[in-house]
Amino acid sequence: MTIRNDRLRLLSWNIHAGIGADRRYNLARVIDLVRGHAPDIIALQEVDSRGRSDALPLAALTEALGEYAAEARTIVAPDGHYGHVLLSHWPLHNVQLHDLSVPKHEARFAIEAGLDTPGGRLTVIATHLGLRYAESRQQIARLKDIVSVVSGPLLMVGDFNDWHGLVRRAFLPLMPGRTRHKTFPARYPLLDLDGIYCRPAQALLHNWIDRAGRHASDHLPVLAEIAFPDAA
């Protein structure tokens, strides 16, 4: 990872369990693409170790991409687990797992962590929201409660499954900086499902997607340059 004097680089990506367009599991190509961008903070969704006889994906991802990691296991099975992770070049402080689960739906969590960057303290919330409209409304309400008590610079990242626009309408007043990229399906992206929200808005600088991600997942990765808190 690369330390920059006045900014950090963030990447968020639903990696589809490491299964690419060829329907083959290949975590190495996920790692290669992410590492090529030298991100300082990484949020990955759909990290799946179930049925894998090789090294656990989180261990492989942490060793290759980040010195520090926090995970949310949304499914735990006898042969492994599934969920999302937050990786960082800097230590993660006061890590909290917020349960966003709605009865009769897949379990969902938000990972909240404080990072002491060279520019100051920053809070990151990484999540993966549900697909259904009513489910999303309840999860968004809980996320708003979490965001409302966080002070200082804040990033919220992940796969929001925001095909309905509920997340955008709920969080733009609270976190006015956001990415606007179509990320799904990866080969012919039509929907803005994945993204980055930022407070203060001016801290969100250049942001983009990497279309090479279509070979490694069914979502495209979202990247952004973020001004360090003091610079913002």
Side-chain angles (χ1 to χ4, degrees), residues 6-228:
D6 62 346
R7 62 186 63 185
L8 60 85
R9 181 168 293 175
L10 171 65
L11 179 147
S12 181
W13 192 11
N14 182 325
I15 64 170
H16 195 226
I19 299 173
D22 57 4
R23 300 183 182 181
R24 294 181 178 179
Y25 172 76
N26 188 337
L27 197 64
R29 60 188 167 191
V30 170
I31 290 172
D32 288 344
L33 185 145
V34 174
R35 190 157 46 190
H37 289 287
D40 305 291
I41 302 172
I42 305 164
L44 301 177
Q45 303 84 47
E46 295 195 13
V47 177
D48 196 352
S49 66
R50 294 173 296 175
R52 302 295 174 204
S53 58
D54 54 353
L56 292 179
L58 179 60
L61 292 167
T62 303
E63 180 179 355
L65 302 174
E67 299 172 44
Y68 304 95
E71 64 175 332
R73 297 182 179 183
T74 57
I75 299 175
V76 178
D79 61 344
H81 50 82
Y82 167 94
H84 59 100
V85 302
L86 177 64
L87 303 164
S88 171
H89 177 77
W90 302 288
L92 304 175
H93 300 290
N94 304 318
V95 176
Q96 299 182 65
L97 286 183
H98 300 281
D99 192 350
L100 308 179
S101 303
V102 174
K104 299 182 180 180
H105 295 280
E106 180 183 328
R108 303 283 179 174
F109 289 88
I111 304 170
E112 178 187 351
L115 284 71
D116 286 323
T117 75
R121 173 59 70 97
L122 173 71
T123 301
V124 179
I125 297 172
T127 193
H128 184 188
L129 301 186
L131 283 164
R132 299 183 183 276
Y133 186 91
E135 178 188 12
S136 294
R137 289 185 61 183
Q138 295 183 56
Q139 292 168 348
I140 289 167
R142 295 176 193 173
L143 269 179
K144 288 178 71 174
D145 290 340
I146 297 166
V147 167
S148 68
V149 298
V150 175
S151 60
L154 173 63
L155 296 172
M156 186 173 72
V157 303
D159 178 356
F160 299 105
N161 277 313
D162 196 24
W163 57 270
H164 36 57
L166 289 175
V167 177
R168 292 189 288 277
R169 291 194 291 272
F171 284 99
L172 278 179
L174 301 173
M175 304 183 69
R178 84 166 182 92
T179 57
R180 294 170 169 82
H181 301 289
K182 292 181 172 60
T183 58
F184 182 86
R187 294 190 69 82
Y188 305 101
L190 300 172
L191 299 175
D192 178 1
L193 300 187
D194 311 86
I196 300 166
Y197 286 80
C198 183
R199 184 185 75 204
Q202 64 268 30
L204 179 64
L205 305 177
H206 175 55
N207 55 90
W208 68 101
I209 55 175
D210 186 348
R211 294 188 181 276
R214 68 185 184 277
H215 300 298
S217 174
D218 60 348
H219 288 242
L220 295 177
V222 181
L223 298 103
E225 298 280 353
I226 308 292
F228 279 123

